[in-house]
Amino acid sequence: MVGSYANGGSAAALAAEEKLDELRRLLGKSDGDPLRVVGVGAGAWGSVFCALLQDAYGRHRDRVQVRVWRRAGRAVDRADAERLFEVINAREDVLRRLIRRCAYLKYVEARLGDRTLHADEILRDGFCLNMLDTPLCPLKVVTNLQEAVWDADIVVNGLPSTETREVFGEIGRYWKERITQPLIISLAKGIEASLDPVPRIITPTQMISNATGVPLENILYLGGPNIASEIYNKEYANARICGADKWRKPLAKFLRQPHFIVWDNSDLITHEVMGGLKNVYAIGAGMVAALTNESATSKSVYFSLCTSEMIYITHLLAREPEKLAGPLLADTYVTLLKGRNAWYGQKLAKGELTLEMGDSIKGKGTIQGVSAVNAFYELLSQGSLCVMHPETKKPVAPVELCPILKTLYKILIKRELATDSILQAIRDESMYDPRERIEMAQRQSLYRPSLLGLPKGDAKA
């Protein structure tokens, strides 16, 4: 059974207790003072992340508390209530749990249209509105942000990057009187572009630090090739937690589970940026899949071209880009297979969604690849970052060597082209052999540390 110790036995319970006690000691927690973990945002990954911690450590209530903040008032529509009722009745363990909690009747009433459920209400029973088919364990849900975070020891950012600055700006006001700084783990995969005084990327961890005053050494990023529902269903997965030496190793140990392996890495900002980059090209992959009736040949052509562009861009962002190749390609691969950004591209190409509907989609949450397309295009179109064109031998903005990125920008942001333009982009007879673009990146000295806000010559975030 998902969310229980029945299959793990007493050895797993003892190991969890030891990991919890070790982290409590590092954070200076005294007896009787529980470690307070708060998830901010309740999308699919944010909810699953907190549910994993609740499953692993929730039995030690005197030593740890896991809570989730989400906004109140989001109603569950009739179609979702009907789907939720089907899910409940298909899972005997979930059905029995709700009956024991005297919570089943409200789902019957919602199914009949006699009651309106709300997202925070169903999350308390273990149902995430963006992932109804995967029941979680019951969660402690708080709808007042100040109540949720004011005394938190660890805050998990499960918000989209487009909402991170605003919400953590509010959190920063609540933390002005804090004596100790919390730890923050950001799950957000997205970026913003800042063009003044010089073009550079702003990541969610930087947004959080700027908004709250929490030093960057206390903020970490966790990412990897993961699908939230599969992780909760105990499919084997791995991830990296990136940040300062002091915290990343103990947190990796604390988060690690038999089916969820967490490695650690010091390169915070670059890994964070890579998490946003793959979302850009996932949207295009979804379009190609839909427009070619899932042609394996067309999808592989697109994959070779988009990965060559991503590798080219990593040469602009990293002194040693080859170290990012594995994590970036793995994350890209799973996103293309089953991620929400590829799904969004498919729906756009099929006409089942339109750009006028925005990038916050019912049942999926925010499609972060849309804002990432805009950010990467804006950055890479700056003349101050010019590179040498291999044929004309004249300086051009880097985006001129990224035709897929240019096409996605014209489709999604400028809305000048139809979705089938992505096929024209990959079938262009003048398109470089992907190998040539990679060799071009390797021959030229492309690294621009200023893009990550680093001084010239610096290689670490």
Side-chain angles (χ1 to χ4, degrees):
M1 181 188 300
V2 172
S4 79
Y5 279 101
N7 296 328
S10 58
L14 181 59
E17 189 172 359
E18 291 174 349
K19 290 191 292 184
L20 174 59
D21 287 342
E22 182 177 341
L23 186 60
R24 282 176 51 84
R25 284 194 298 271
L26 287 170
L27 288 167
K29 303 297 291 184
S30 58
D31 292 343
D33 182 16
L35 176 68
R36 295 175 176 85
V37 181
V38 176
V40 174
W45 186 209
S47 297
V48 162
F49 191 87
C50 290
L52 290 173
L53 293 178
Q54 179 64 31
D55 282 340
Y57 300 108
R59 60 167 51 186
H60 308 291
R61 296 179 182 177
D62 58 328
R63 283 177 282 178
V64 64
Q65 293 178 357
V66 179
R67 296 178 290 178
V68 181
W69 172 81
R70 72 153 296 137
R71 295 180 179 91
R74 174 75 180 273
V76 179
D77 65 25
R78 180 76 179 272
D80 281 342
E82 291 175 354
R83 177 60 190 151
L84 193 51
F85 188 72
E86 293 175 2
V87 170
I88 291 168
N89 285 285
R91 286 276 299 269
E92 182 178 343
D93 58 325
V94 176
L95 178 61
R96 289 184 179 277
R97 185 182 78 200
L98 291 173
I99 291 172
R100 285 196 305 270
R101 292 163 59 93
C102 299
Y104 179 65
L105 182 58
K106 65 185 178 186
Y107 292 97
V108 177
E109 294 172 342
R111 166 66 179 81
L112 297 172
D114 296 335
R115 175 176 179 154
T116 299
L117 297 169
H118 292 88
D120 57 294
E121 177 184 12
I122 66 172
L123 188 59
R124 292 184 177 92
D125 292 327
F127 303 106
C128 172
L129 189 57
N130 290 346
M131 196 177 60
L132 293 177
D133 290 339
T134 305
L136 309 175
C137 62
L139 291 166
K140 169 72 174 176
V141 179
V142 181
T143 56
N144 181 295
L145 184 59
Q146 183 174 10
E147 177 189 346
V149 303
W150 74 273
D151 61 348
D153 298 300
I154 299 174
V155 173
V156 179
N157 175 32
L159 296 165
S161 59
T162 49
E163 297 179 24
T164 294
R165 186 189 304 278
E166 177 186 354
V167 174
F168 276 87
E170 185 177 346
I171 290 173
R173 294 194 291 273
Y174 304 143
W175 283 349
K176 283 183 178 179
E177 306 302 320
R178 280 191 70 132
I179 298 173
T180 59
Q181 298 284 9
L183 294 179
I184 301 171
I185 302 172
S186 180
L187 310 178
K189 295 182 177 180
I191 67 162
E192 289 182 356
S194 174
L195 305 181
D196 185 36
V198 294
R200 69 184 184 93
I201 289 168
I202 301 176
T203 67
T205 60
Q206 293 170 325
M207 296 176 204
I208 292 168
S209 182
N210 293 336
T212 62
V214 174
L216 207 55
E217 67 179 19
N218 276 43
I219 308 176
L220 303 99
Y221 164 72
L222 185 136
N226 304 313
I227 300 297
S229 60
E230 293 183 356
I231 292 176
Y232 196 73
N233 286 329
K234 298 193 181 302
E235 296 290 338
Y236 178 82
N238 56 63
R240 280 178 177 81
I241 188 163
C242 304
D245 294 349
K246 180 179 180 181
W247 294 116
R248 71 174 193 269
K249 290 185 181 296
L251 283 172
K253 185 176 180 180
F254 178 70
L255 298 173
R256 188 176 297 127
Q257 299 187 23
H259 68 286
F260 184 56
I261 305 305
V262 181
W263 299 313
D264 68 276
N265 191 284
S266 62
D267 195 347
L268 167 65
I269 302 300
T270 310
H271 276 83
E272 210 175 357
V273 172
M274 294 302 104
L277 181 60
K278 54 88 181 177
N279 286 336
V280 168
Y281 292 95
I283 296 177
M287 293 177 181
V288 170
L291 293 166
T292 63
N293 195 28
E294 298 289 344
S295 162
T297 300
S298 295
K299 288 192 292 185
S300 66
V301 169
Y302 177 84
F303 186 75
S304 68
L305 293 169
C306 80
T307 51
S308 74
E309 282 193 21
M310 286 191 288
I311 291 169
Y312 184 83
I313 293 170
T314 62
H315 277 74
L316 290 163
L317 298 172
R319 183 184 295 279
E320 299 176 297
E322 62 278 359
K323 291 184 178 180
L324 298 168
L328 175 59
L329 291 177
D331 208 354
T332 301
Y333 181 67
V334 75
T335 303
L336 267 55
L337 284 176
K338 204 171 179 180
R340 75 182 74 177
N341 289 277
W343 172 90
Y344 179 72
Q346 285 187 319
K347 295 297 182 181
L348 284 178
K350 291 178 178 179
E352 297 174 13
L353 291 176
T354 66
L355 293 172
E356 287 71 26
M357 295 178 178
D359 58 4
S360 182
I361 306 299
K362 176 180 175 291
K364 289 291 182 178
T366 300
I367 309 300
Q368 298 191 98
V370 177
S371 61
V373 166
N374 189 43
F376 277 107
Y377 182 90
E378 284 189 340
L379 283 166
L380 300 181
S381 62
Q382 299 303 304
S384 60
L385 301 173
C386 65
V387 297
M388 193 62 64
H389 194 286
E391 293 182 352
T392 66
K393 306 302 180 184
K394 293 181 179 179
V396 295
V399 76
E400 296 302 322
L401 300 176
C402 300
I404 293 177
L405 175 59
K406 285 182 65 177
T407 302
L408 289 170
Y409 179 79
K410 291 177 181 179
I411 294 171
L412 298 170
I413 308 302
K414 299 298 287 184
R415 303 185 184 183
E416 297 173 349
L417 301 176
T419 53
D420 60 3
S421 300
I422 196 70
L423 295 183
Q424 297 173 27
I426 68 173
R427 293 170 179 171
D428 188 342
E429 291 184 6
S430 64
M431 177 73 78
Y432 289 109
D433 182 328
R435 176 184 58 82
E436 291 180 1
R437 183 177 289 104
I438 295 171
E439 290 178 349
M440 185 195 318
Q442 292 170 339
R443 284 195 305 267
Q444 299 183 26
S445 179
L446 296 181
Y447 179 45
R448 302 289 191 274
S450 61
L451 277 172
L452 299 184
L454 304 175
K456 188 174 181 179
D458 199 347
K460 296 186 75 173

